[in-house]
């Protein structure tokens, strides 16, 4: 009787902890669904654009960035989801390695950005310059720039005259555009009680000096405003960074634990 009971216990015993297995599965499944949503939003935004003739904006196109991020997330979480469900060591190792690579890449970017702040600022400046140059060519870039300038209460990258980089806002006498020497309405300071946004509020502002422009727009560049915002919201920045890092670390640890348990299970059978 005791021998039969011991045999039954041996048959039902497993090195694989079901709590770890199913937690990793649902963890990966949640982010897998989220990745599909990101891809869907990116594809929808890309399809809804009337024209897409400017190839120079491809790498800074918010829709393309969403699609790329979504596809990478889909691949990683798919490996974790199926790997945990089927107890597949190869998929789990791919999941763990990919997640570790992404985490180390983000960590390296953060460290390099901190120690090489001037080079980071120049790189971001090139991105913003392209966004300003193609402001009228890409609706997503236009909405992104307007959102940044309204939220940070800034105009341009260095200052409001950066909008001369744009073909329509260029402040040279040869420019025939009706928007010559203007800045977008998102640079303008809000007027109390104004129900309808005056989209022409920034016309002719580039011809004014700093003190005159300060009466109607935010003359400070977004580069300085971004630095000021980060310095005054260090706790929020740290919380966001921690919020991004913890799920990745949890995924790496759980997948490694599950891999070890599956290997112990295989060894015990052999």
């Amino acid at each position: 009787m005791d021998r039969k009971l011991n045999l039954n216990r041996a048959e039902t015993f497993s090195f694989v902890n079901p709590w770890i297995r199913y937690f990793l599965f649902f963890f990966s499944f949640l982010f897998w669904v989220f990745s599909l949503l990101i891809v869907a939003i990116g594809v929808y935004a890309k399809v809804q654009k009337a024209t897409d003739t400017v190839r120079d904006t491809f790498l800074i196109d918010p829709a393309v960035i969403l699609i790329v991020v979504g596809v990478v997330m889909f691949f990683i979480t798919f490996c974790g989801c199926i790997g945990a469900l089927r107890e597949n060591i190869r998929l789990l190792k791919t999941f763990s390695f990919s997640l570790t690579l992404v985490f180390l890449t983000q960590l390296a970017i953060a460290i390099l950005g901190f120690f090489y702040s001037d080079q980071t600022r120049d790189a971001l400046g090139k991105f913003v310059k392209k966004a300003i140059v193609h402001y009228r060519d890409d609706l997503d870039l236009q909405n992104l720039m307007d959102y940044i300038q309204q939220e940070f209460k800034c105009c341009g990258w260095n200052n409001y005259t950066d909008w001369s980089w744009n073909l329509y806002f260029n402040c040279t006498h040869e420019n025939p555009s009706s928007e010559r020497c203007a800045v977008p309405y998102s640079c303008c300071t809000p007027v109390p009680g104004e129900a309808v946004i005056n989209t022409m509020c920034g016309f002719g502002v580039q011809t004014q000096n700093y003190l005159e422009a300060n009466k109607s727009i935010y003359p400070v560049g977004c580069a300085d405003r971004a630095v000021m915002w980060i310095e005054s919201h260090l706790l929020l920045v740290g919380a966001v960074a921690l919020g991004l890092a913890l799920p990745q670390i949890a995924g790496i640890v759980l997948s490694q634990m599950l891999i070890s348990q599956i290997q112990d299970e295989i060894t015990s059978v052999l």
Side-chain angles (χ1 to χ4, degrees):
M1 184 68 180
D2 291 339
R3 184 182 177 186
K4 187 176 180 181
L5 185 62
N6 290 333
L7 286 172
N8 288 334
R9 286 178 179 173
E11 288 175 358
T12 57
F13 176 78
S14 174
F15 284 95
V16 178
N17 189 324
W19 288 100
I20 294 176
R21 179 189 174 192
Y22 287 111
F23 184 81
L24 181 60
F25 168 75
F26 286 114
F27 173 84
S28 302
F29 181 76
L30 180 66
F31 282 95
W32 180 70
V33 173
F34 184 61
S35 70
L36 286 176
L37 182 63
I38 292 175
V39 172
I41 293 171
V43 170
Y44 176 79
K46 195 69 178 172
V47 170
Q48 287 299 308
K49 290 183 182 180
T51 58
D52 192 17
T53 56
V54 185
R55 293 189 178 185
D56 196 33
T57 64
F58 182 80
L59 293 177
I60 60 171
D61 188 341
V64 173
I65 294 172
L66 282 176
I67 293 171
V68 171
V69 171
V71 168
V72 172
M73 278 187 63
F74 177 86
F75 169 75
I76 295 174
T77 53
F78 176 80
C79 291
C81 191
I82 303 301
L85 185 65
R86 304 297 298 174
E87 296 184 9
N88 188 301
I89 291 179
R90 287 185 179 180
L91 287 177
L92 287 171
K93 284 184 176 180
T94 303
F95 171 77
S96 180
F97 174 78
S98 301
L99 209 54
T100 302
L101 188 63
V102 170
F103 176 74
L104 292 177
T105 301
Q106 293 173 347
L107 187 63
I109 291 172
I111 293 172
L112 290 173
F114 179 79
F115 286 104
Y116 299 95
S117 56
D118 292 338
Q119 289 85 341
T120 303
R121 179 169 175 152
D122 291 340
L124 289 174
K126 291 178 181 177
F127 175 88
V128 175
K129 183 175 181 179
K130 278 190 176 183
I132 290 175
V133 169
H134 299 291
Y135 178 79
R136 291 295 190 205
D137 304 324
D138 192 309
L139 184 60
D140 289 335
L141 281 178
Q142 182 175 325
N143 291 333
L144 179 62
M145 282 302 301
D146 286 338
Y147 176 80
I148 291 172
Q149 292 189 147
Q150 287 176 325
E151 287 298 312
F152 286 98
K153 297 180 179 180
C154 57
C155 191
W157 179 244
N158 299 303
N159 56 59
Y160 63 99
T161 59
D162 288 345
W163 281 99
S164 273
W165 294 335
N166 185 275
L167 179 67
Y168 299 94
F169 299 128
N170 185 269
C171 201
T172 57
H173 293 290
E174 294 79 17
N175 185 12
S177 172
S178 60
E179 295 180 303
R180 185 177 75 86
C181 296
V183 295
Y185 75 92
S186 54
C187 289
C188 299
T189 53
V191 178
E194 186 179 49
V196 180
I197 297 174
N198 179 16
T199 56
M200 300 176 68
C201 58
F203 275 47
V205 168
Q206 290 189 57
T207 60
Q208 301 173 1
N209 60 39
Y210 187 92
L211 292 176
E212 290 176 337
N214 192 41
K215 296 176 182 177
S216 57
I217 67 164
Y218 302 114
V220 181
C222 292
D224 294 331
R225 283 290 188 185
V227 172
M228 291 169 60
W229 187 90
I230 291 172
E231 289 177 348
S232 60
H233 296 81
L234 287 176
L235 188 62
L236 178 61
V237 173
V240 171
L242 190 63
L244 289 172
L246 283 179
Q248 297 176 55
I249 295 172
I252 295 167
V253 172
L254 288 173
S255 60
Q256 287 298 324
M257 289 174 65
L258 189 56
I259 289 169
S260 178
Q261 291 175 359
I262 294 171
Q263 288 174 339
D264 289 341
E265 182 79 10
I266 294 171
T267 303
S268 68
V269 172
L270 297 175

